[in-house]
Every structure is written in structure tokens, then in C-alpha cells.
Amino acid sequence: MSIDCGQLDINCVDHGETLELVWTETGGPAVTQTETEGFGTKLGKLTLEQQFRGELIRIRDPQGLILRLSIPKDRLQHI
């Protein structure tokens, strides 16, 4: 986070065949909606989709950024 008073919460949820990682930032600078995705977002999505057959969802909440990463468990065994 770019400021000292922000918080980060990371949760891992087992959904049987998939594993979901939820990254939640709060208390930081205001999250702004952009028309385009940045390089990091594009790279993360491509990696999750192509290598892990997973999904990355970005949620821009007024309280902060939320990232939801879902990955099939069988793809994690090949790392």
C-alpha cells in the first residue's frame, strides 16, 4: 500500500475443486475507475488464465480494492 494507515486482508477459501484467494485493501487512497487495464493487471490475468486456467476479478469498492483469484486445485499440483 502507498500509505501507512492502509490495511490488507488476505483470505484463502477452499471451494472443493478450486482455491480462491481474496485480497482486500482498505483505508488507502481512493480507488479510481479507469477505462483501460494496466500492465500488471493484464500480466496477472494472462498468467492465471493461461498457466493456471484460473480467473482474476478486480472489484473497485469505495472502501478499497478487492482482488479475487480462483485457481483449480489440480493446476497447483503441477508447479
Side-chain angles (χ1 to χ4, degrees):
M1 307 238 346
S2 61
I3 60 175
D4 292 338
C5 64
Q7 293 182 333
L8 173 63
D9 182 51
I10 301 173
N11 259 331
C12 189
V13 183
D14 186 340
H15 292 288
E17 294 184 10
T18 62
L19 192 61
E20 180 182 51
L21 182 76
V22 182
W23 169 290
T24 306
E25 297 177 5
T26 55
V31 179
T32 57
Q33 182 72 29
T34 59
E35 294 295 320
T36 59
E37 293 179 333
F39 176 75
T41 300
K42 288 180 184 179
L43 182 62
K45 277 186 164 182
L46 282 172
T47 301
L48 280 169
E49 291 170 0
Q50 299 295 317
Q51 184 173 354
F52 295 105
R53 295 187 190 130
E55 180 180 35
L56 171 64
I57 299 172
R58 290 174 61 103
I59 302 165
R60 290 173 179 89
D61 186 270
Q63 301 296 316
L65 178 66
I66 301 169
L67 298 173
R68 298 181 88 88
L69 294 82
S70 296
I71 303 170
K73 285 184 188 175
D74 65 341
R75 297 302 296 176
L76 297 174
Q77 296 172 1
H78 300 288
I79 298 177

Coordinates of all heavy atoms in Angstrom, one line a residue:
M1 N 0.8 -1.2 0.0 CA 0.0 0.0 0.0 C 0.9 1.2 0.0 O 2.0 1.2 0.5 CB -0.9 0.0 1.2 CG -1.7 -1.3 1.3 SD -3.5 -1.2 1.3 CE -4.0 0.4 1.6
S2 N 0.3 2.3 -0.5 CA 1.2 3.5 -0.7 C 1.1 4.4 0.5 O 1.9 5.4 0.5 CB 0.7 4.3 -1.9 OG -0.6 4.7 -1.8
I3 N 0.3 4.1 1.5 CA 0.3 5.0 2.7 C 0.3 4.1 4.0 O -0.1 2.9 3.9 CB -1.0 5.9 2.8 CG1 -2.3 5.1 2.8 CG2 -0.9 6.9 1.7 CD1 -3.5 6.0 2.9
D4 N 0.8 4.6 5.1 CA 1.0 3.8 6.3 C -0.3 3.4 7.0 O -0.3 2.4 7.7 CB 1.8 4.6 7.3 CG 3.2 4.8 6.9 OD1 3.7 4.0 6.0 OD2 3.8 5.8 7.4
C5 N -1.4 4.1 6.8 CA -2.7 3.8 7.6 C -3.5 2.7 6.9 O -4.5 2.3 7.4 CB -3.5 5.0 7.9 SG -4.1 5.8 6.4
G6 N -3.2 2.3 5.7 CA -4.0 1.3 5.0 C -3.8 -0.1 5.6 O -2.9 -0.4 6.3
Q7 N -4.8 -0.9 5.3 CA -4.8 -2.3 5.8 C -5.0 -3.3 4.6 O -5.6 -3.0 3.6 CB -5.9 -2.5 6.8 CG -5.8 -1.8 8.0 CD -6.9 -2.1 9.0 OE1 -8.0 -2.5 8.6 NE2 -6.6 -2.0 10.3
L8 N -4.4 -4.5 4.8 CA -4.5 -5.5 3.8 C -5.0 -6.8 4.5 O -4.5 -7.2 5.5 CB -3.2 -5.8 3.1 CG -3.1 -7.0 2.2 CD1 -4.0 -6.8 1.0 CD2 -1.6 -7.2 1.7
D9 N -6.0 -7.4 3.9 CA -6.6 -8.6 4.4 C -6.5 -9.7 3.3 O -7.0 -9.4 2.2 CB -8.0 -8.4 4.9 CG -8.6 -9.7 5.5 OD1 -8.0 -10.3 6.4 OD2 -9.7 -10.1 5.0
I10 N -5.9 -10.8 3.6 CA -5.8 -11.9 2.6 C -6.5 -13.1 3.2 O -6.2 -13.6 4.2 CB -4.4 -12.2 2.3 CG1 -3.7 -11.0 1.7 CG2 -4.3 -13.4 1.3 CD1 -2.2 -11.2 1.5
N11 N -7.5 -13.6 2.4 CA -8.3 -14.8 2.8 C -8.1 -15.9 1.8 O -8.1 -15.6 0.6 CB -9.8 -14.5 2.9 CG -10.2 -14.3 4.3 OD1 -9.7 -14.8 5.2 ND2 -11.2 -13.4 4.4
C12 N -8.0 -17.1 2.2 CA -7.9 -18.2 1.3 C -9.1 -19.1 1.6 O -9.4 -19.5 2.7 CB -6.6 -19.0 1.5 SG -6.4 -20.3 0.2
V13 N -9.9 -19.4 0.5 CA -11.2 -20.2 0.7 C -11.1 -21.4 -0.2 O -10.8 -21.4 -1.4 CB -12.4 -19.4 0.3 CG1 -13.7 -20.1 0.6 CG2 -12.4 -18.0 1.1
D14 N -11.3 -22.6 0.4 CA -11.3 -23.9 -0.3 C -12.8 -24.1 -0.8 O -13.7 -24.3 0.0 CB -10.9 -25.0 0.7 CG -10.7 -26.3 0.0 OD1 -11.3 -26.5 -1.1 OD2 -10.0 -27.1 0.5
H15 N -12.9 -24.2 -2.1 CA -14.3 -24.5 -2.7 C -14.3 -25.9 -3.3 O -15.0 -26.1 -4.3 CB -14.6 -23.4 -3.8 CG -14.8 -22.1 -3.2 ND1 -15.9 -21.7 -2.5 CD2 -14.0 -20.9 -3.3 CE1 -15.9 -20.4 -2.2 NE2 -14.7 -19.9 -2.7
G16 N -13.6 -26.8 -2.7 CA -13.6 -28.2 -3.2 C -12.6 -28.3 -4.4 O -11.4 -28.6 -4.1
E17 N -13.0 -28.1 -5.6 CA -12.1 -28.3 -6.7 C -11.3 -27.0 -7.0 O -10.3 -27.1 -7.8 CB -12.9 -28.7 -8.0 CG -13.5 -30.1 -7.8 CD -14.1 -30.6 -9.1 OE1 -14.0 -29.9 -10.1 OE2 -14.8 -31.6 -9.0
T18 N -11.7 -25.9 -6.5 CA -11.0 -24.6 -6.7 C -10.5 -24.0 -5.4 O -11.1 -24.3 -4.3 CB -11.8 -23.6 -7.5 OG1 -13.0 -23.3 -6.7 CG2 -12.2 -24.1 -8.8
L19 N -9.5 -23.2 -5.5 CA -9.0 -22.5 -4.4 C -9.1 -21.0 -4.7 O -8.8 -20.6 -5.8 CB -7.5 -22.8 -4.2 CG -6.8 -22.3 -2.9 CD1 -7.5 -23.0 -1.7 CD2 -5.4 -22.7 -2.9
E20 N -9.7 -20.2 -3.8 CA -9.9 -18.8 -4.0 C -9.1 -18.0 -3.0 O -9.1 -18.2 -1.8 CB -11.4 -18.5 -3.9 CG -11.7 -17.0 -4.2 CD -13.1 -16.7 -4.0 OE1 -13.7 -17.0 -2.9 OE2 -13.7 -16.1 -4.9
L21 N -8.4 -17.0 -3.5 CA -7.6 -16.1 -2.7 C -8.3 -14.7 -2.9 O -8.5 -14.3 -4.0 CB -6.2 -16.0 -3.2 CG -5.2 -15.1 -2.4 CD1 -4.9 -15.8 -1.1 CD2 -4.0 -14.8 -3.2
V22 N -8.7 -14.1 -1.7 CA -9.3 -12.8 -1.8 C -8.4 -11.8 -1.1 O -8.1 -12.0 0.1 CB -10.7 -12.9 -1.1 CG1 -11.4 -11.5 -1.2 CG2 -11.6 -13.9 -1.7
W23 N -8.0 -10.8 -1.8 CA -7.0 -9.8 -1.4 C -7.9 -8.5 -1.2 O -8.5 -8.0 -2.2 CB -6.0 -9.6 -2.5 CG -5.1 -8.4 -2.4 CD1 -5.4 -7.1 -2.6 CD2 -3.7 -8.5 -2.2 NE1 -4.2 -6.4 -2.5 CE2 -3.2 -7.2 -2.2 CE3 -2.8 -9.5 -1.9 CZ2 -1.9 -6.9 -2.1 CZ3 -1.4 -9.2 -1.7 CH2 -1.0 -7.9 -1.8
T24 N -8.0 -8.0 0.0 CA -8.8 -6.8 0.2 C -8.0 -5.7 0.8 O -7.4 -5.9 1.9 CB -10.0 -7.2 1.2 OG1 -10.7 -8.3 0.7 CG2 -10.9 -6.0 1.3
E25 N -7.9 -4.5 0.2 CA -7.2 -3.4 0.6 C -8.3 -2.4 1.2 O -9.3 -2.1 0.5 CB -6.4 -2.7 -0.5 CG -5.3 -3.6 -1.0 CD -4.6 -2.9 -2.2 OE1 -4.9 -1.7 -2.5 OE2 -3.7 -3.6 -2.8
T26 N -8.0 -1.8 2.3 CA -8.9 -0.8 2.9 C -8.1 0.3 3.5 O -6.9 0.1 3.9 CB -9.9 -1.4 4.0 OG1 -9.1 -2.0 5.0 CG2 -10.9 -2.3 3.3
G27 N -8.7 1.5 3.7 CA -8.0 2.6 4.4 C -6.9 3.3 3.6 O -6.2 4.1 4.1
G28 N -6.8 2.9 2.3 CA -5.8 3.6 1.5 C -6.3 4.7 0.7 O -7.4 5.2 0.9
P29 N -5.6 5.1 -0.3 CA -6.1 6.2 -1.2 C -7.4 5.7 -1.9 O -7.6 4.5 -2.1 CB -5.0 6.4 -2.2 CG -3.8 5.6 -1.7 CD -4.3 4.6 -0.7
A30 N -8.2 6.7 -2.4 CA -9.4 6.4 -3.1 C -9.1 5.6 -4.4 O -8.1 5.8 -5.0 CB -10.1 7.7 -3.5
V31 N -9.9 4.6 -4.6 CA -9.7 3.7 -5.8 C -10.5 4.4 -6.9 O -11.7 4.7 -6.8 CB -10.3 2.3 -5.5 CG1 -10.2 1.4 -6.7 CG2 -9.6 1.7 -4.3
T32 N -9.8 4.6 -8.1 CA -10.5 5.2 -9.2 C -10.7 4.2 -10.3 O -9.9 3.3 -10.5 CB -9.6 6.4 -9.7 OG1 -8.3 5.9 -10.1 CG2 -9.5 7.5 -8.7
Q33 N -11.8 4.4 -11.0 CA -12.1 3.5 -12.2 C -11.4 4.0 -13.4 O -11.3 5.2 -13.6 CB -13.6 3.6 -12.4 CG -14.1 2.7 -13.5 CD -14.0 1.2 -13.2 OE1 -14.2 0.8 -12.0 NE2 -13.9 0.4 -14.2
T34 N -10.7 3.1 -14.1 CA -10.0 3.5 -15.3 C -10.6 2.8 -16.5 O -11.3 1.8 -16.4 CB -8.5 3.2 -15.2 OG1 -8.4 1.8 -15.0 CG2 -7.8 3.9 -14.1
E35 N -10.5 3.4 -17.7 CA -11.0 2.8 -18.9 C -10.2 1.6 -19.4 O -10.7 0.7 -20.0 CB -11.1 3.8 -20.0 CG -12.0 4.9 -19.7 CD -13.5 4.5 -19.7 OE1 -13.8 3.6 -20.5 OE2 -14.2 4.9 -18.8
T36 N -8.9 1.6 -19.0 CA -8.0 0.5 -19.5 C -7.4 -0.2 -18.3 O -7.3 0.4 -17.2 CB -6.9 1.1 -20.4 OG1 -6.1 2.0 -19.7 CG2 -7.5 1.8 -21.7
E37 N -6.9 -1.4 -18.6 CA -6.2 -2.1 -17.5 C -4.7 -1.8 -17.7 O -4.2 -1.7 -18.8 CB -6.4 -3.6 -17.7 CG -7.8 -4.1 -17.5 CD -8.0 -5.6 -17.7 OE1 -7.2 -6.2 -18.5 OE2 -8.9 -6.1 -17.1
G38 N -4.0 -1.8 -16.5 CA -2.6 -1.6 -16.6 C -1.8 -2.8 -16.9 O -2.4 -3.9 -17.0
F39 N -0.5 -2.7 -17.1 CA 0.3 -3.8 -17.5 C 0.3 -4.9 -16.4 O 0.2 -6.1 -16.7 CB 1.8 -3.3 -17.6 CG 2.7 -4.5 -17.9 CD1 2.8 -5.1 -19.2 CD2 3.6 -4.9 -17.0 CE1 3.6 -6.1 -19.5 CE2 4.5 -6.0 -17.2 CZ 4.5 -6.6 -18.5
G40 N 0.3 -4.6 -15.1 CA 0.3 -5.6 -14.1 C -1.0 -6.4 -14.1 O -0.9 -7.6 -13.9
T41 N -2.1 -5.7 -14.3 CA -3.4 -6.4 -14.3 C -3.4 -7.3 -15.5 O -3.9 -8.5 -15.4 CB -4.5 -5.4 -14.4 OG1 -4.5 -4.6 -13.2 CG2 -5.9 -6.1 -14.4
K42 N -3.0 -6.9 -16.6 CA -3.0 -7.7 -17.8 C -2.1 -8.9 -17.7 O -2.5 -10.1 -18.0 CB -2.6 -6.9 -19.1 CG -3.6 -5.9 -19.5 CD -3.1 -5.2 -20.7 CE -4.0 -4.1 -21.2 NZ -3.6 -3.3 -22.3
L43 N -0.9 -8.7 -17.1 CA 0.0 -9.8 -16.9 C -0.5 -10.8 -15.9 O -0.5 -12.0 -16.1 CB 1.4 -9.3 -16.4 CG 2.5 -10.3 -16.2 CD1 2.8 -11.0 -17.5 CD2 3.7 -9.6 -15.6
G44 N -1.1 -10.3 -14.8 CA -1.7 -11.2 -13.8 C -2.9 -12.1 -14.4 O -3.0 -13.3 -14.1
K45 N -3.7 -11.4 -15.1 CA -4.9 -12.1 -15.7 C -4.4 -13.2 -16.7 O -4.9 -14.3 -16.7 CB -5.8 -11.1 -16.5 CG -6.8 -10.5 -15.6 CD -7.7 -9.6 -16.4 CE -8.9 -9.3 -15.6 NZ -9.9 -8.5 -16.4
L46 N -3.4 -12.8 -17.6 CA -2.9 -13.8 -18.5 C -2.3 -15.0 -17.9 O -2.5 -16.1 -18.3 CB -1.9 -13.1 -19.5 CG -2.5 -12.3 -20.6 CD1 -1.5 -11.5 -21.4 CD2 -3.3 -13.1 -21.6
T47 N -1.5 -14.7 -16.8 CA -0.8 -15.8 -16.1 C -1.8 -16.7 -15.5 O -1.8 -18.0 -15.6 CB 0.1 -15.2 -15.0 OG1 1.1 -14.4 -15.6 CG2 0.8 -16.4 -14.2
L48 N -2.8 -16.2 -14.8 CA -3.9 -17.0 -14.1 C -4.7 -17.8 -15.2 O -5.0 -18.9 -15.0 CB -4.8 -16.2 -13.3 CG -4.2 -15.8 -11.9 CD1 -5.0 -14.8 -11.2 CD2 -4.1 -17.0 -11.0
E49 N -5.1 -17.1 -16.3 CA -5.9 -17.7 -17.3 C -5.2 -18.8 -18.1 O -5.7 -19.9 -18.3 CB -6.5 -16.7 -18.2 CG -7.5 -15.8 -17.5 CD -8.0 -14.6 -18.3 OE1 -7.5 -14.4 -19.5 OE2 -8.8 -13.8 -17.8
Q50 N -4.0 -18.4 -18.5 CA -3.2 -19.3 -19.4 C -2.5 -20.4 -18.7 O -2.6 -21.6 -19.1 CB -2.3 -18.5 -20.3 CG -2.9 -17.5 -21.2 CD -3.8 -18.1 -22.2 OE1 -3.5 -19.1 -22.8 NE2 -5.0 -17.5 -22.4
Q51 N -1.8 -20.1 -17.7 CA -0.9 -21.1 -17.0 C -1.7 -21.9 -16.0 O -1.5 -23.1 -15.9 CB 0.2 -20.4 -16.3 CG 1.2 -21.4 -15.6 CD 2.4 -20.7 -15.1 OE1 2.6 -19.6 -15.3 NE2 3.2 -21.5 -14.4
F52 N -2.7 -21.3 -15.3 CA -3.4 -22.0 -14.2 C -4.8 -22.3 -14.5 O -5.5 -22.8 -13.7 CB -3.3 -21.1 -12.9 CG -1.9 -21.0 -12.4 CD1 -1.2 -19.8 -12.5 CD2 -1.3 -22.1 -11.7 CE1 0.1 -19.7 -12.0 CE2 0.0 -21.9 -11.2 CZ 0.7 -20.7 -11.4
R53 N -5.3 -21.8 -15.7 CA -6.7 -21.9 -16.0 C -7.6 -21.4 -15.0 O -8.7 -21.9 -14.7 CB -7.1 -23.4 -16.4 CG -6.3 -23.9 -17.6 CD -6.8 -25.3 -17.9 NE -5.9 -25.8 -19.0 CZ -5.4 -27.0 -18.9 NH1 -5.7 -27.8 -17.9 NH2 -4.6 -27.4 -19.8
G54 N -7.2 -20.3 -14.4 CA -7.9 -19.6 -13.3 C -8.6 -18.3 -13.8 O -8.7 -18.1 -15.0
E55 N -8.9 -17.5 -12.8 CA -9.6 -16.3 -13.1 C -9.2 -15.2 -12.1 O -9.0 -15.5 -10.9 CB -11.1 -16.5 -13.0 CG -12.0 -15.3 -13.2 CD -13.5 -15.6 -13.1 OE1 -13.9 -16.4 -12.3 OE2 -14.2 -15.0 -13.9
L56 N -9.1 -14.0 -12.6 CA -8.7 -12.8 -11.7 C -9.8 -11.8 -11.9 O -10.1 -11.4 -13.0 CB -7.4 -12.2 -12.1 CG -7.0 -10.9 -11.4 CD1 -6.9 -11.0 -9.9 CD2 -5.8 -10.3 -12.0
I57 N -10.5 -11.4 -10.8 CA -11.5 -10.4 -10.8 C -11.1 -9.3 -9.9 O -10.7 -9.5 -8.8 CB -12.9 -11.0 -10.3 CG1 -13.3 -12.1 -11.2 CG2 -13.9 -9.9 -10.3 CD1 -14.5 -12.9 -10.7
R58 N -11.1 -8.0 -10.5 CA -10.8 -6.8 -9.7 C -12.1 -6.1 -9.4 O -12.9 -5.9 -10.3 CB -9.9 -5.9 -10.5 CG -8.5 -6.4 -10.7 CD -7.8 -5.4 -11.7 NE -7.7 -4.1 -11.1 CZ -6.6 -3.6 -10.6 NH1 -5.5 -4.3 -10.5 NH2 -6.6 -2.3 -10.1
I59 N -12.3 -5.8 -8.1 CA -13.5 -5.1 -7.7 C -13.0 -3.7 -7.1 O -12.3 -3.8 -6.1 CB -14.3 -5.9 -6.7 CG1 -14.7 -7.2 -7.3 CG2 -15.5 -5.1 -6.2 CD1 -15.2 -8.2 -6.3
R60 N -13.5 -2.7 -7.7 CA -13.1 -1.4 -7.2 C -14.2 -0.9 -6.2 O -15.2 -0.3 -6.7 CB -12.9 -0.4 -8.3 CG -11.6 -0.7 -9.1 CD -11.5 0.2 -10.3 NE -10.3 -0.1 -11.0 CZ -10.2 -1.0 -12.0 NH1 -11.2 -1.7 -12.3 NH2 -9.0 -1.2 -12.6
D61 N -14.1 -1.1 -5.0 CA -15.1 -0.8 -4.0 C -14.7 0.6 -3.4 O -13.5 1.0 -3.4 CB -15.0 -1.8 -2.8 CG -16.0 -1.6 -1.8 OD1 -15.8 -0.9 -0.8 OD2 -17.1 -2.2 -1.9
P62 N -15.7 1.4 -3.0 CA -15.3 2.7 -2.4 C -14.4 2.6 -1.2 O -13.6 3.5 -1.0 CB -16.7 3.3 -2.0 CG -17.7 2.6 -2.8 CD -17.1 1.2 -3.1
Q63 N -14.4 1.5 -0.5 CA -13.5 1.3 0.6 C -12.1 0.9 0.2 O -11.2 1.1 1.0 CB -14.1 0.3 1.6 CG -15.5 0.6 2.1 CD -15.5 1.8 3.0 OE1 -14.6 2.0 3.8 NE2 -16.5 2.7 2.7
G64 N -11.9 0.4 -1.0 CA -10.6 0.0 -1.4 C -10.7 -1.1 -2.5 O -11.8 -1.4 -3.0
L65 N -9.6 -1.6 -2.9 CA -9.5 -2.6 -4.0 C -9.7 -4.0 -3.4 O -9.2 -4.4 -2.4 CB -8.1 -2.5 -4.6 CG -7.9 -3.5 -5.8 CD1 -8.8 -3.2 -6.9 CD2 -6.4 -3.4 -6.2
I66 N -10.4 -4.8 -4.2 CA -10.6 -6.2 -3.8 C -10.2 -7.1 -5.1 O -10.7 -6.8 -6.2 CB -12.1 -6.6 -3.5 CG1 -12.5 -5.7 -2.3 CG2 -12.2 -8.1 -3.2 CD1 -14.0 -5.8 -2.0
L67 N -9.3 -8.0 -4.9 CA -8.9 -8.9 -5.9 C -9.4 -10.3 -5.5 O -9.1 -10.8 -4.4 CB -7.4 -8.9 -6.1 CG -6.8 -7.6 -6.5 CD1 -5.2 -7.8 -6.5 CD2 -7.2 -7.2 -7.9
R68 N -10.0 -11.0 -6.5 CA -10.4 -12.4 -6.3 C -9.7 -13.3 -7.3 O -9.9 -13.1 -8.5 CB -11.9 -12.5 -6.4 CG -12.7 -11.7 -5.4 CD -14.2 -11.9 -5.6 NE -14.7 -13.0 -4.8 CZ -15.0 -12.9 -3.5 NH1 -15.0 -11.8 -2.9 NH2 -15.5 -14.0 -2.9
L69 N -8.9 -14.2 -6.8 CA -8.2 -15.1 -7.7 C -8.7 -16.5 -7.4 O -8.7 -17.0 -6.3 CB -6.7 -15.1 -7.3 CG -5.9 -13.8 -7.6 CD1 -6.1 -12.8 -6.5 CD2 -4.4 -14.1 -7.8
S70 N -9.2 -17.1 -8.5 CA -9.7 -18.5 -8.4 C -8.8 -19.4 -9.3 O -8.6 -19.1 -10.4 CB -11.1 -18.6 -8.9 OG -12.0 -17.8 -8.0
I71 N -8.4 -20.5 -8.7 CA -7.5 -21.4 -9.4 C -7.9 -22.9 -9.1 O -8.1 -23.2 -8.0 CB -6.0 -21.3 -8.9 CG1 -5.5 -19.8 -9.1 CG2 -5.1 -22.2 -9.6 CD1 -4.2 -19.5 -8.5
P72 N -8.1 -23.7 -10.2 CA -8.4 -25.1 -9.9 C -7.2 -25.7 -9.2 O -6.1 -25.5 -9.5 CB -8.5 -25.7 -11.4 CG -8.8 -24.5 -12.2 CD -8.1 -23.3 -11.6
K73 N -7.6 -26.5 -8.2 CA -6.5 -27.1 -7.3 C -5.6 -28.0 -8.1 O -4.4 -28.1 -7.8 CB -7.1 -27.9 -6.2 CG -7.7 -27.1 -5.1 CD -8.2 -28.0 -4.0 CE -8.9 -27.3 -2.9 NZ -9.4 -28.3 -2.0
D74 N -6.1 -28.7 -9.1 CA -5.3 -29.7 -9.9 C -4.2 -28.9 -10.6 O -3.1 -29.5 -10.9 CB -6.1 -30.6 -10.8 CG -6.8 -29.8 -11.9 OD1 -7.0 -28.6 -11.8 OD2 -7.2 -30.4 -12.9
R75 N -4.4 -27.6 -10.9 CA -3.3 -26.9 -11.6 C -2.2 -26.5 -10.7 O -1.1 -26.3 -11.1 CB -3.9 -25.6 -12.2 CG -4.9 -25.8 -13.3 CD -4.4 -26.6 -14.5 NE -3.3 -25.9 -15.1 CZ -2.6 -26.3 -16.1 NH1 -2.7 -27.6 -16.6 NH2 -1.6 -25.6 -16.7
L76 N -2.5 -26.4 -9.4 CA -1.4 -26.1 -8.4 C -0.5 -27.3 -8.2 O 0.6 -27.1 -7.7 CB -2.1 -25.7 -7.1 CG -2.9 -24.4 -7.2 CD1 -3.6 -24.2 -5.8 CD2 -2.1 -23.2 -7.5
Q77 N -0.9 -28.5 -8.5 CA 0.0 -29.6 -8.3 C 1.1 -29.7 -9.3 O 2.0 -30.4 -9.1 CB -0.9 -30.9 -8.3 CG -1.9 -31.0 -7.2 CD -2.9 -32.1 -7.4 OE1 -2.8 -32.9 -8.3 NE2 -3.8 -32.3 -6.5
H78 N 1.0 -28.9 -10.4 CA 2.0 -29.0 -11.5 C 3.0 -27.9 -11.4 O 3.8 -27.8 -12.3 CB 1.2 -28.9 -12.8 CG 0.2 -29.9 -13.1 ND1 0.6 -31.2 -13.3 CD2 -1.1 -29.9 -13.0 CE1 -0.5 -32.0 -13.5 NE2 -1.6 -31.2 -13.3
I79 N 3.0 -27.2 -10.3 CA 4.0 -26.1 -10.1 C 5.3 -26.7 -9.6 O 5.4 -27.5 -8.8 CB 3.5 -25.1 -9.1 CG1 2.2 -24.5 -9.7 CG2 4.6 -24.0 -8.9 CD1 1.6 -23.5 -8.8

